Amino acid sequence: MASLRDKFYGFFSNDVGIDLGTANTLVYLRGKGIVVNEPSVVAINKKTNQVVAVGAEAKQMLGRTPGHLSALRPLVEGVVSDFEATEEMLSYLIKRAQGVSKKALGPRAVLGVPSGVTDVETRAVRDAALNAGAREVYIIEEPMAAALGIRLPVREAMGSMIVDIGGGNTDIAILSLGGIVRSKNVRIAGDKLNQDIIGHVRSEFKILIGEKTAEAVKHSIGSLLPASSSLEALVRGRDLVTGLPREVVLTDSDIREAISQSIDTLIEGVREVLETTPPEILSDIGRGGIYLVGGGALLRGLDSLLSEWSKVPVHVADDPLTAVVRGTGVVLENLDEHRNLLIEHEEDVE
């Protein structure tokens, strides 16, 4: 049952849960569900220092801006790198989530952050949300939020394992009894794989392609296991010898070769976490398996590769892209019940 305080806030404010990601930011509106899913990109007019676009509109400008405009990602590897741009982005997205039904009080906000972030990084996220209009801010670690989002039994005396592969970082965590038992944050995720593809195409084909092209080809033909028939994609870029446009056909084999080293590093991170996990919890994981969430979970063959290596079942969560924001929504719907799962909230820092 919701407390009187929850009912009061529910009447006077539109509470939000936010998955503040390196690649995408999602917003959950209490009682409504996920209402915003936008790229974490901000376009700024450098002459006036004003924000001219946020989200999908700003992402279209990446690599195409004139001298007086700058399109940037305000988060790097899951943490705030440009405070003012993050604040502007959050303000825009919160207002968009609330729409025309604004209420008297600013919203309470539950935000996910990577596991193991520093106090300074946590404070930066909290302050950005407060400056963007939030009345109260609650912080939860993303693996815990993701586990809540996919309904894992995080409060029980049973071990669960989450691998959250985002845009800037991968969170690997073991959960039990409402806490994180072991975790590791690996700076290998979607953005790094894009850079691997760019580097491979540059070295093998002497063509320079952009990050959006690399991401598109990763989604269309990326596969960690050979398919029955070769997957191919045509990419266009700048010939590094002539400086003129040129196109080349890439195959799934090219993508595997490009990202193999990063995938090995990711698997090594999973191994390190499993090696330090208590035996009883390891036994639970052997039965229940490893759960993949985040955009990287959709990479073809990753679940099979991890399962083959670890000898443990590996499951791709339903709708892995929204697992974290769904978890913030679970917290929002009953803050009192989930308060002990938070790592920081308003009362802690007053």
Side-chain angles (χ1 to χ4, degrees):
M1 294 292 291
S3 67
L4 288 175
R5 188 169 183 263
D6 278 350
K7 291 178 180 178
F8 172 84
Y9 275 106
F11 185 79
F12 286 106
S13 70
N14 285 320
D15 298 337
V16 294
I18 302 173
D19 175 9
L20 189 60
T22 303
N24 293 281
T25 295
L26 293 85
V27 183
Y28 177 102
L29 185 63
R30 186 178 182 185
K32 300 288 186 181
I34 301 168
V35 294
V36 173
N37 184 352
E38 292 275 1
S40 301
V41 184
V42 179
I44 298 174
N45 187 321
K46 293 189 286 188
K47 292 180 179 178
T48 63
N49 207 30
Q50 297 295 311
V51 172
V52 297
V54 174
E57 185 181 355
K59 186 175 182 179
Q60 290 297 321
M61 300 180 184
L62 283 172
R64 298 187 174 101
T65 55
H68 69 285
L69 292 179
S70 173
L72 56 90
R73 288 183 168 181
L75 291 102
V76 175
E77 296 180 346
V79 297
V80 174
S81 65
D82 188 319
F83 182 84
E84 292 182 356
T86 301
E87 180 185 323
E88 292 285 353
M89 182 178 73
L90 280 174
S91 178
Y92 168 84
L93 296 176
I94 289 173
K95 288 176 182 175
R96 181 176 163 189
Q98 292 179 313
V100 296
S101 58
K102 294 180 181 177
K103 298 188 180 180
L105 299 177
R108 293 184 298 179
V110 177
L111 283 88
V113 298
S115 64
V117 296
T118 66
D119 291 341
V120 172
E121 291 166 342
T122 301
R123 178 61 64 93
V125 171
R126 176 183 172 275
D127 288 349
L130 287 173
N131 292 341
R135 180 179 177 85
E136 292 183 6
V137 177
Y138 301 80
I139 304 294
I140 185 170
E141 289 175 296
E142 288 173 355
M144 181 62 73
L148 289 171
I150 63 174
R151 307 295 179 177
L152 291 183
V154 295
R155 293 183 179 279
E156 298 179 15
M158 177 183 298
S160 302
M161 186 169 188
I162 283 274
V163 180
D164 180 5
I165 309 168
N169 65 289
T170 294
D171 252 334
I172 306 162
I174 307 288
L175 311 168
S176 180
L177 291 170
I180 294 180
V181 179
R182 294 287 187 275
S183 70
K184 184 177 180 64
N185 198 292
V186 182
R187 303 305 189 195
I188 300 290
D191 289 349
K192 178 62 170 66
L193 300 184
N194 295 343
Q195 292 301 320
D196 290 342
I197 294 169
I198 291 171
H200 178 80
V201 174
R202 177 199 285 262
S203 63
E204 293 296 319
F205 300 97
K206 302 300 184 286
I207 291 178
L208 181 62
I209 62 173
E211 187 172 346
K212 288 178 65 176
T213 300
E215 184 174 19
V217 76
K218 179 184 69 179
H219 290 160
S220 63
I221 66 170
S223 177
L224 296 179
L225 297 175
S228 55
S229 60
S230 179
L231 303 173
E232 295 183 348
L234 183 70
V235 297
R236 296 177 177 86
R238 186 175 77 232
D239 191 307
L240 293 173
V241 177
T242 67
L244 299 175
R246 184 158 72 91
E247 60 186 29
V248 66
V249 174
L250 297 182
T251 67
D252 57 316
S253 178
D254 291 319
I255 305 304
R256 271 196 301 280
E257 183 179 348
I259 67 177
S260 61
Q261 187 171 348
S262 290
I263 296 299
D264 287 346
T265 303
L266 179 61
I267 292 176
E268 178 65 19
V270 174
R271 184 187 66 80
E272 289 178 14
V273 171
L274 287 172
E275 279 185 345
T276 60
T277 299
E280 294 296 337
I281 293 180
L282 204 58
S283 174
D284 294 336
I285 294 167
R287 290 192 298 270
I290 300 169
Y291 288 84
L292 303 182
V293 299
L298 298 174
L299 184 61
R300 294 182 189 88
L302 179 58
D303 53 343
S304 299
L305 188 66
L306 264 177
S307 181
E308 181 182 338
W309 167 82
S310 65
K311 312 303 180 188
V312 169
V314 177
H315 316 284
V316 178
D318 292 336
D319 198 5
L321 287 164
T322 65
V324 171
V325 77
R326 283 186 281 135
T328 66
V330 170
V331 174
L332 268 182
E333 298 299 339
N334 195 332
L335 267 170
D336 284 345
E337 178 184 342
H338 297 99
R339 196 173 294 268
N340 65 324
L341 302 181
L342 305 171
I343 62 172
E344 179 183 304
H345 53 84
E346 184 74 9
E347 291 84 348
D348 291 338
V349 292
E350 285 182 346

